[in-house]
Amino acid sequence: MIVVATSDFEVYHGVVTELRERGTEFTTVEPDTRVPDHTTVVITGPEHADAFESVTTIVAEPDAPRRAVDQALAAARGNGGRTVIGVDPGRNPGIAVLAGEMVVAAFQVPLANAVDVIQREAADATSPIVRIGDGSRLQGSKLVNDLEDVPVELVDETGTTPYLGTGARGMGDVLAAVNIARLEGEPVETREIEPTAGELQAIKDRSREQSETNRAIDEPLARRVATGELTIDEALAEHRREDTDGAS
């Protein structure tokens, strides 16, 4: 049983809302009363962090109720609650956050936003680790190189993308991220980004498709896109500026 025991209205409201949205069984008590005998986890506010020495206590901050609920659910299941963040890299990476074996959050965001999402989910988490699939080499390398203050493993992602039945279209990257999170990989701190000729040509082709004038960016700009320095749109804008400057 999860027990919510706090006199802080913001903490109470945020935590209870999260628990109800997940269909979790819980009860509430005043923080100065005895918790039920079958209590496994108490969620409370910072002012009562040391009030429940005989039971696992999760301290919830007013602005982070979801994290507290994630930790409480993991602790209630007795799996240690380690946070593992799986990432299926690509232009719009799938990201899955696991507490023990339980998926507690999932995202699919543009590559430019992925590091911020991963760092936010890892912040103050229980023994966090990030596991990144080894496909989509350029995008995966950018994530490895940009992540800070969290251990990263590179995972063989062969077979991690599941078959998607009717109605499941668009979920593949997130489900692959869940599978990646559950596989041990090789620790890695940096990964070389050296685009191949084929990768550079693919970027040029994408830029031509997105260009209003059906013109591709040149190789130096394509290389900057490949290394994550620019997006396709930014490279096209710079390409237009170079043409304008050259014509003046």
Side-chain angles (χ1 to χ4, degrees), residues 87-90 93 95 111-115 118 130 132 137-148 152 193:
V87 184
D88 183 30
I95 302 170
L111 180 63
N113 300 338
V115 168
I118 296 167
V130 178
I132 299 176
R137 188 177 60 86
L138 295 177
Q139 292 92 341
S141 297
K142 175 173 171 54
L143 295 175
V144 170
N145 294 339
D146 288 354
L147 285 168
E148 299 178 351
V152 177
I193 303 178

Side-chain angles (χ1 to χ4, degrees), residues 3-7 12 27-36 42 52:
V3 174
V4 181
T6 179
S7 56
Y12 176 88
T27 191
T28 62
V29 300
E30 293 296 325
D32 56 353
T33 60
R34 185 172 180 272
V35 298
V42 170
F52 306 96

Side-chain angles (χ1 to χ4, degrees), residues 8-68:
D8 186 317
F9 176 76
E10 283 189 75
V11 169
Y12 176 88
H13 178 73
V15 168
V16 167
T17 298
E18 284 282 341
L19 290 167
R20 285 175 176 162
E21 286 180 351
R22 301 190 195 197
T24 304
E25 184 179 356
F26 68 96
T27 191
T28 62
V29 300
E30 293 296 325
D32 56 353
T33 60
R34 185 172 180 272
V35 298
D37 291 338
H38 55 292
T39 300
T40 53
V41 182
V42 170
I43 305 178
T44 188
E47 72 279 12
H48 294 102
D50 300 320
F52 306 96
E53 296 181 357
S54 62
V55 65
T56 300
T57 301
I58 305 298
V59 177
E61 298 294 338
D63 59 349
R66 182 174 69 81
R67 185 172 302 283

Side-chain angles (χ1 to χ4, degrees), residues 138 184 236:
L138 295 177
E184 291 189 10
L236 284 168

Side-chain angles (χ1 to χ4, degrees), residues 139-204:
Q139 292 92 341
S141 297
K142 175 173 171 54
L143 295 175
V144 170
N145 294 339
D146 288 354
L147 285 168
E148 299 178 351
D149 302 323
V150 61
V152 177
E153 291 181 357
L154 198 62
V155 173
D156 179 358
E157 65 175 53
T158 304
T160 56
T161 300
Y163 167 75
L164 298 178
T166 303
R169 187 175 181 179
M171 297 173 59
D173 294 334
V174 171
L175 293 175
V178 173
N179 289 331
I180 288 168
R182 289 176 169 152
L183 297 173
E184 291 189 10
E186 294 294 327
V188 61
E189 294 184 359
T190 60
R191 195 179 186 198
E192 290 297 321
I193 303 178
E194 184 53 45
T196 64
E199 288 167 336
L200 291 174
Q201 186 59 51
I203 291 171
K204 292 179 186 179

